[in-house]
Amino acid sequence: MQTETETETAPRAPTALAMADTLEEDIVLGLLAPRVRLVEDELMERFDAKRHVVRDALALLEGFGLIERRRNIGALVRSFSREEVIHLYEMRELLEVEAMRRIALPMAGAALRQLHAVQAQHDAAIAEQNPRGIFRANQEFHRLLFAQCGNAYLSQAIEDFARRTHAIRFGALMSRERQLQSQREHHDLLALLSRGERQHLIDLTVAHLVPPRDLYLDTQQALLVR
């Protein structure tokens, strides 16, 4: 029989959601590239998890639009055609621009303080070269930002479409140049929110989407040329 201390210190089995979160980070960071297979037995060993937990995690990732299942092959990290990439980013632009039109400006008070606090975490993660910390802080910054639009369905749609492009953004966060560019743009967004410069805010929101999209398209084109 386990003692109370042994029970407290024993490692906990991962939940499907925790496993899916880790694999989602792996995809964004380029550790799992497009078309890489996710093998159940390998995931069971890596996470010390039961098969049903692994399958539930894969089902979550499929629902997020990050993986696809193919007959006789299994689960693969999603890959996208040029047209799919363009269409997904068109949707992101439409949604995010509409949110920026709805945010009350100039932003002040608790909302702006929260955004500055999250950006401080983003800054620290970049300084420490902590890719997973960069990803998590970046996600939280944008979640809080778009939540200020006042429409929960719009902000949730933005989050859903952003997640669907994680397999497109693969590896972008590992680029030091892209990390620093994103950091500068976040600070510029905060300044524009504080000053209430809506059109500049919209323009920067659109520009912020471009680099990972174009990186994927350029990489895809380079592979086709070979």
Side-chain angles (χ1 to χ4, degrees):
M1 181 176 179
Q2 286 184 316
T3 66
E4 184 176 343
T5 302
E6 289 173 333
T7 302
E8 289 175 356
T9 58
R12 294 181 179 180
T15 65
L17 181 58
M19 190 184 305
D21 285 344
T22 299
L23 292 170
E24 179 180 16
E25 291 177 6
D26 288 350
I27 291 169
V28 175
L29 298 176
L31 302 175
L32 291 172
R35 294 185 291 277
V36 166
R37 287 186 65 210
L38 298 176
V39 180
E40 288 184 6
D41 289 345
E42 293 175 359
L43 294 175
M44 289 169 62
E45 182 177 358
R46 174 183 172 183
F47 291 98
D48 191 21
K50 302 293 186 183
R51 189 174 300 276
H52 74 275
V53 177
V54 169
R55 288 179 175 173
D56 287 346
L58 293 176
L60 286 170
L61 291 170
E62 186 176 23
F64 296 158
L66 295 174
I67 69 168
E68 57 188 334
R69 295 176 192 265
R70 294 185 183 175
R71 190 173 182 180
N72 300 324
I73 296 176
L76 302 169
V77 177
R78 278 287 306 271
S79 61
F80 297 86
S81 69
R82 182 179 183 84
E83 184 178 46
E84 287 173 326
V85 172
I86 291 170
H87 287 174
L88 277 169
Y89 273 86
E90 283 177 347
M91 284 302 302
R92 287 194 64 185
E93 181 177 328
L94 286 169
L95 293 167
E96 294 183 18
V97 166
E98 181 58 28
M100 287 304 185
R101 290 196 178 108
R102 291 168 176 255
I103 291 175
L105 296 177
M107 185 183 289
L112 191 59
R113 288 194 297 272
Q114 279 185 305
L115 282 168
H116 275 286
V118 174
Q119 185 52 41
Q121 296 172 16
H122 187 246
D123 293 340
I126 289 173
E128 295 163 3
Q129 282 296 280
N130 176 0
R132 293 184 189 273
I134 294 170
F135 170 68
R136 288 191 292 270
N138 182 70
Q139 291 293 97
E140 183 63 9
F141 180 88
H142 288 284
R143 187 192 69 77
L144 282 172
L145 173 60
F146 292 119
Q148 306 312 310
C149 74
N151 184 318
Y153 294 102
L154 176 56
S155 58
Q156 184 61 57
I158 289 171
E159 189 172 341
D160 292 343
F161 271 94
R163 176 169 255 159
R164 287 183 177 276
T165 61
H166 284 174
I168 294 171
R169 297 164 59 199
F170 80 98
L173 285 180
M174 297 298 282
S175 162
R176 181 65 172 167
E177 179 182 0
R178 179 56 192 152
Q179 290 172 6
L180 295 175
Q181 181 183 0
S182 179
Q183 182 182 33
R184 287 192 300 270
E185 290 175 354
H186 283 195
H187 283 282
D188 288 344
L189 284 168
L190 289 169
L192 293 170
L193 288 165
S194 181
R195 294 198 298 264
E197 298 180 20
R198 192 177 304 278
Q199 189 54 54
H200 288 161
L201 191 64
I202 289 171
D203 292 343
L204 183 53
T205 297
V206 174
H208 196 62
L209 292 170
V210 170
R213 180 202 67 189
D214 286 357
L215 176 62
Y216 187 93
L217 292 175
D218 290 347
T219 302
Q220 185 184 63
Q221 183 61 36
L223 291 172
L224 289 173
V225 169
R226 290 179 183 175

